[in-house]
């Protein structure tokens, strides 16, 4: 075992605050980013939970929930394209939901095809729900939003002053940032949205490509082909998903808030870790002074402190990972989804490890103060 | 009884060192000259504040004198250690010097073997296996065989000081400086320590300088010096056990 590790193990209580500080920073960064990922993932649910390869929307559409009406005539434009297998109109628009008791909520109405191979129907809409939605002016909401919307299955509510009946519910926790998702058939959507959407207009055209792997190429080529008309934007579903999340991330300035919080966590971690390493080095100053007296170069001591900071960082990160997963699991118990992709875990671990090494550099000021003469005073 | 001049290995010439206390300046070392010889243990005695430790620090290259020279003989050449650059002096100490202090100053986390290994590995870049072998040999010579795995907390005061001696001698230094090496020990442990230093000076032909105020050590060293108020009172008094090995 190397000398740094031996020291760390022997003086565990001394180094624990530093290890804890690194773990705290890693947990804070991972959970903050995870929460944010989870939060903004809901903004792209209509894209992520459907089967379309390519989305066509209004020019420069910023996010899936901000699509403006486009003429239905666009459909004939792309339907004949040899790269396209299926084209499907799709409605999505904000609406004013009036509860049976009179209260109101903002909702996002989604009207799509109800066929088995529908491109716009979210995967959580079961065949039974889709069958129920064939009833005119019927809607389905998610169980997680039903209470906010003030309805039970079978109740009536109003959207844009149009009376609708709740015929079922999904149970996938489909929440949105701005308003509850309300699913219905295309005819129902057309009727409910007639006051806000021009005649013969829809919100999106959804495409299925002959080769789904070509979605991005097809989107790029169509954008090029139709660029002169300035009347639509074509994106692959993954592009549209990312664009929707990024829009809300920037729009809400949550990214900046995240940056500040993460920076604060890193600062706290760096201060505690550097103080821990500083105190540990000062405590061993006389032993180090002997080495210096005997001509051992100072850089050996410097590197020992830096290696210690690496171990403190590594143990802190290793301690953090089970804590991150445990806290994310606790989050799911209260309905908060915190995705933790490996890239996020690697990033939080990497950043905090660098922070620990940086703390080691700060603690090196203690090495500079060690003088062999102190042994003779 | 005389000592051949060619056996002088460390020489302090007209050394002066003053310390300032407020507006007052006092010579802690006041025009001291001293010759130290290879293969000898020299005892530097004197009351508290007499300047013993300061003289040790000056002679070992740790504290710069205000005036005077410290000449050290290395491979037949005389070097003025206070004319060296700090880097050269560090290298000189690495090649030639060992230190022992009253407080042991052993790393609490390291075993007796590691305390010695670290000097060889970090100082001379000796490979781990060889450093371990040499450390074990040295611990054996110091009567610590079987205690290689013990950490300082598991050793007695005398054993800890023997480990500290091993650390100072592991690289067979030309010069070994010991500041009050026995003052924290009972007399029997202190005797063992000073006898080990005697043996080492003879075996390695080292020049060993011991600072102490313990008169009982006089019988165990080759030569002694008395400092008072920064001045050398008696110069090079050969001690009862003195044999000037090979130079009679």
């Amino acid at each position: 075992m190397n000398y740094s590790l031996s020291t760390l193990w022997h003086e565990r209580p001394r180094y624990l605050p530093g290890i804890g500080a690194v773990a705290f920073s890693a947990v804070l960064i991972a959970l903050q980013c995870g929460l944010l990922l989870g939060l903004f993932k809901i903004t792209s649910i209509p894209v992520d939970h459907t089967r379309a390869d390519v989305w066509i929307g209004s020019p420069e559409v910023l996010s899936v929930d901000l699509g403006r009406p486009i003429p239905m005539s666009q459909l004939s434009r792309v339907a004949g394209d040899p790269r396209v297998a299926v084209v499907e109109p799709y409605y999505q628009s904000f609406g004013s939901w009036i509860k049976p008791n009179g209260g109101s909520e903002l909702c996002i109405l989604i009207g799509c095809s109800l066929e088995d191979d529908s491109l716009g129907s979210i995967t959580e809409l079961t065949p039974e729900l889709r069958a129920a939605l064939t009833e005119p002016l019927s809607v389905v909401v998610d169980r997680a939003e039903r209470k906010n919307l003030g309805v039970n299955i079978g109740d009536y509510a109003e959207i844009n002053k149009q009376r609708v009946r709740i015929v079922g519910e999904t149970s996938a926790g489909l929440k949105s940032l701005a308003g509850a998702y309300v699913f219905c058939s295309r005819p129902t959507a057309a009727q409910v949205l007639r006051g806000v959407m021009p005649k013969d207009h829809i919100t999106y055209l959804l495409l299925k490509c002959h080769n789904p792997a070509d979605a991005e190429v097809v989107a790029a080529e169509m954008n090029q082909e139709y660029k002169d008309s300035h009347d639509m934007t074509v994106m692959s579903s993954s592009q549209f998903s990312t664009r929707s999340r990024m829009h809300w991330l920037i729009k809400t300035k949550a990214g900046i808030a995240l940056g500040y919080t993460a920076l604060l966590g890193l600062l706290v971690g760096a201060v505690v870790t550097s103080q821990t390493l500083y105190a540990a080095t000062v405590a061993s100053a006389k032993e180090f002074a002997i080495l210096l007296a005997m001509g051992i170069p100072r850089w050996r001591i410097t590197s020992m402190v830096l290696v210690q900071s690496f171990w403190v960082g590594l143990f802190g990160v290793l301690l953090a990972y089970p804590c991150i997963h445990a806290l994310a699991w606790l989050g799911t118990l209260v309905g908060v989804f915190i995705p933790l992709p490996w890239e996020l875990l690697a990033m939080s671990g990497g950043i905090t490890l660098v922070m620990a090494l940086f703390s080691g550099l700060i603690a090196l000021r203690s090495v500079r103060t060690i003088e062999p003469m102190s042994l003779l005073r | 009884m005389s000592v051949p001049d060619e056996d002088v290995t460390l020489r302090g010439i007209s050394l002066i060192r003053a310390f300032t206390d407020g507006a007052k300046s006092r010579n802690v070392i006041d025009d001291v000259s001293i010759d130290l010889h290879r293969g000898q243990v020299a005892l530097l005695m004197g009351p508290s504040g007499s300047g013993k430790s300061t003289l040790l620090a000056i002679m070992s290259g740790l504290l710069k004198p205000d005036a005077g020279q410290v000449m050290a003989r290395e491979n037949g050449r005389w070097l003025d250690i206070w004319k060296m650059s700090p880097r050269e002096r560090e290298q000189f100490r690495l090649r030639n010097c060992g230190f022992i202090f009253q407080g042991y100053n052993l790393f609490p986390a390291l075993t007796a073997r590691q305390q010695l290994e670290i000097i060889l590995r970090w100082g001379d870049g000796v490979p781990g296996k060889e450093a371990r072998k040499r450390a074990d040999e040295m611990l054996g010579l110091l009567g610590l065989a079987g205690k290689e795995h013990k950490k300082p907390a598991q050793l007695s005061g005398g054993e800890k000081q023997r480990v500290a001696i091993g650390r100072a001698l592991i690289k067979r230094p030309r010069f070994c400086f010991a500041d009050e090496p026995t003052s924290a020990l009972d007399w029997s442990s202190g005797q063992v320590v000073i006898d080990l230093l005697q043996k080492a000076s003879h075996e390695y032909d080292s020049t060993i300088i011991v600072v102490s105020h313990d008169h009982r050590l006089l019988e165990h060293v080759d030569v002694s010096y008395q400092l008072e108020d920064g001045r050398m009172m008696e110069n090079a008094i050969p001690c009862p056990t003195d044999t000037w090995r090979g130079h009679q």
Side-chain angles (χ1 to χ4, degrees):
Chain A
M1 206 191 295
N2 72 38
Y3 305 131
S4 302
L5 207 50
S6 299
T7 305
L8 209 69
W9 178 247
H10 186 264
E11 297 179 27
R12 306 185 282 288
R14 186 190 291 282
Y15 288 95
L16 266 179
I19 292 170
V22 173
F24 167 75
S25 297
V27 168
L28 196 68
I29 293 170
L31 288 184
Q32 280 278 330
C33 294
L35 275 168
L36 207 65
L37 273 182
L39 186 63
F40 290 104
K41 209 168 180 171
I42 65 176
T43 64
S44 57
I45 282 175
V47 182
D48 299 334
H49 291 230
T50 50
R51 294 172 49 246
D53 297 327
V54 172
W55 287 64
I56 297 177
S58 52
E60 303 303 325
V61 60
L62 295 169
S63 167
V64 64
D65 48 0
L66 298 177
R68 284 174 284 113
I70 57 172
M72 181 71 102
S73 56
Q74 303 276 26
L75 190 145
S76 55
R77 200 188 211 178
V78 292
D81 193 301
R83 295 162 294 192
V84 176
V86 182
V87 187
E88 192 178 294
Y90 179 92
Y91 291 90
Q92 177 163 339
S93 178
F94 284 101
S96 173
W97 175 280
I98 308 295
K99 300 177 190 177
N101 67 5
S104 67
E105 285 282 338
L106 197 62
C107 70
I108 299 172
L109 188 70
I110 290 175
C112 58
S113 158
L114 299 174
E115 303 299 318
D116 284 344
D117 56 357
S118 163
L119 300 183
S121 167
I122 60 161
T123 47
E124 288 80 2
L125 276 181
T126 59
E128 293 75 25
L129 288 174
R130 280 187 272 118
L133 284 175
T134 55
E135 177 190 327
L137 292 175
S138 65
V139 298
V140 163
V141 296
D142 193 86
R143 187 182 294 166
E145 294 281 20
R146 194 159 54 75
K147 201 173 171 189
N148 289 341
L149 296 172
V151 288
N152 286 311
I153 296 167
D155 284 354
Y156 285 89
E158 279 184 21
I159 305 174
N160 296 350
K161 297 184 179 167
Q162 182 72 54
R163 197 161 179 258
V164 293
R165 193 167 84 91
I166 295 87
V167 293
E169 64 178 12
T170 55
S171 52
L174 301 171
K175 289 185 167 188
S176 155
L177 276 185
Y181 287 119
V182 176
F183 304 98
C184 64
S185 65
R186 278 200 306 251
T188 298
Q191 194 166 344
V192 170
L193 297 174
R194 66 187 168 190
V196 293
M197 194 166 282
K199 198 168 183 293
D200 294 328
H201 276 63
I202 50 170
T203 320
Y204 294 104
L205 281 172
L206 311 188
L207 310 186
K208 189 83 195 154
C209 298
H210 285 296
N211 183 3
D214 290 342
E216 285 190 16
V217 177
V218 170
E221 287 174 357
M222 283 188 171
N223 271 327
Q224 191 64 26
E225 286 161 27
Y226 304 130
K227 69 176 180 185
D228 294 338
S229 54
H230 302 295
D231 56 1
M232 63 188 205
T233 299
V234 189
M235 291 156 288
S236 71
S237 53
S238 70
Q239 286 169 333
F240 199 25
S241 174
T242 306
R243 179 186 282 211
S244 300
R245 292 182 208 180
M246 289 310 292
H247 169 73
W248 284 106
L249 183 72
I250 294 162
K251 171 102 174 167
T252 59
K253 301 205 168 35
I256 297 169
L258 166 90
Y260 272 121
T261 315
L263 194 66
L264 200 65
L266 277 176
L267 272 178
V268 171
V271 168
V272 176
T273 309
S274 65
Q275 280 307 108
T276 301
L277 290 164
Y278 180 86
T281 311
V282 166
S284 296
K286 283 192 178 295
E287 290 81 50
F288 287 134
I290 279 263
L291 300 184
L292 291 177
M294 293 214 253
I296 304 286
R298 204 175 284 265
W299 69 262
R300 285 283 190 182
I301 296 159
T302 300
S303 60
M304 183 170 176
V305 174
L306 290 179
V307 171
Q308 275 173 350
S309 68
F310 167 78
W311 287 118
V312 165
L314 189 68
F315 288 133
V317 169
L318 291 178
L319 176 66
Y321 283 154
C323 297
I324 292 167
H325 284 288
L327 289 169
W329 177 76
L330 282 176
T332 58
L333 294 185
V334 293
V336 180
F337 173 58
I338 306 174
L340 295 171
W342 70 266
E343 295 93 335
L344 174 62
L345 293 174
M347 180 206 69
S348 60
I351 288 176
T352 40
L353 202 55
V354 169
M355 181 271 287
L357 288 169
F358 179 69
S359 305
L361 285 175
I362 296 173
L364 286 181
R365 69 191 193 281
S366 59
V367 176
R368 285 193 288 274
T369 62
I370 297 172
E371 280 306 327
M373 255 311 287
S374 63
L375 297 163
L376 290 158
R377 279 173 192 143
Chain B
M1 197 179 295
S2 66
V3 185
D5 198 48
E6 63 266 25
D7 278 359
V8 175
T9 51
L10 192 61
R11 175 170 273 167
I13 306 165
S14 305
L15 295 168
I16 295 174
R17 172 73 196 197
F19 280 131
T20 306
D21 184 11
K24 283 166 56 177
S25 178
R26 185 174 72 89
N27 281 357
V28 180
I29 297 296
D30 193 0
D31 195 22
V32 169
S33 293
I34 185 170
D35 279 358
L36 298 164
H37 303 78
R38 67 184 173 90
Q40 276 194 7
V41 176
L43 179 63
L44 200 54
M45 298 197 70
S48 291
S50 59
K52 314 184 288 291
S53 294
T54 305
L55 182 59
L56 188 86
I58 292 171
M59 297 294 287
S60 60
L62 297 180
L63 181 68
K64 193 173 196 293
D66 295 326
Q69 286 178 295
V70 176
M71 306 297 293
R73 185 136 69 177
E74 187 186 29
N75 300 325
R77 279 193 317 133
W78 283 103
L79 304 169
D80 185 341
I81 63 173
W82 286 109
K83 284 212 170 131
M84 295 175 182
S85 68
R87 174 85 182 124
E88 287 169 336
R89 205 161 35 252
E90 182 184 281
Q91 293 278 312
F92 173 83
R93 289 204 308 267
L94 180 62
R95 288 192 306 271
N96 299 298
C97 299
F99 288 86
I100 302 161
F101 297 97
Q102 176 185 344
Y104 319 130
N105 303 314
L106 301 173
F107 287 100
L110 303 190
T111 62
R113 174 189 287 140
Q114 288 174 319
Q115 311 275 355
L116 273 59
E117 273 180 1
I118 201 169
I119 301 298
L120 296 173
R121 296 184 66 180
W122 283 12
D124 300 331
V126 174
K129 219 171 181 178
E130 194 194 329
R132 180 192 170 111
K133 186 170 156 266
R134 283 171 60 182
D136 286 353
E137 279 170 10
M138 177 57 76
L139 290 171
L141 288 173
L142 295 169
L144 291 171
K147 301 207 169 172
E148 297 87 351
H149 293 288
K150 302 264 188 203
K151 289 180 178 167
Q154 299 166 300
L155 298 170
S156 69
E159 288 171 333
K160 278 188 262 199
Q161 193 59 300
R162 276 187 273 163
V163 174
I165 291 171
R167 178 174 61 184
L169 299 177
I170 185 77
K171 58 182 183 182
R172 302 191 172 200
R174 277 194 179 82
F175 310 107
C176 181
F177 302 90
D179 188 34
E180 303 280 6
T182 60
S183 63
L185 305 174
D186 58 60
W187 175 234
S188 62
S189 299
Q191 258 181 311
V192 171
V193 164
I194 197 71
D195 288 343
L196 281 169
L197 291 176
Q198 264 280 2
K199 203 171 152 195
S201 73
H202 302 164
E203 277 186 22
Y204 306 147
D205 221 15
S206 301
T207 304
I208 295 181
I209 307 134
V210 177
V211 161
S212 179
H213 56 263
D214 188 346
H215 285 81
R216 289 177 296 187
L217 296 184
L218 280 168
E219 293 186 7
H220 299 263
V221 299
D222 301 305
V223 63
S224 77
Y225 298 87
Q226 181 76 19
L227 265 182
E228 270 181 37
D229 293 330
R231 287 185 159 273
M232 196 67 87
M233 302 308 290
E234 301 162 54
N235 209 348
I237 305 167
C239 295
T241 55
D242 175 49
T243 52
W244 303 120
R245 285 149 311 282
H247 304 303
Q248 287 181 340

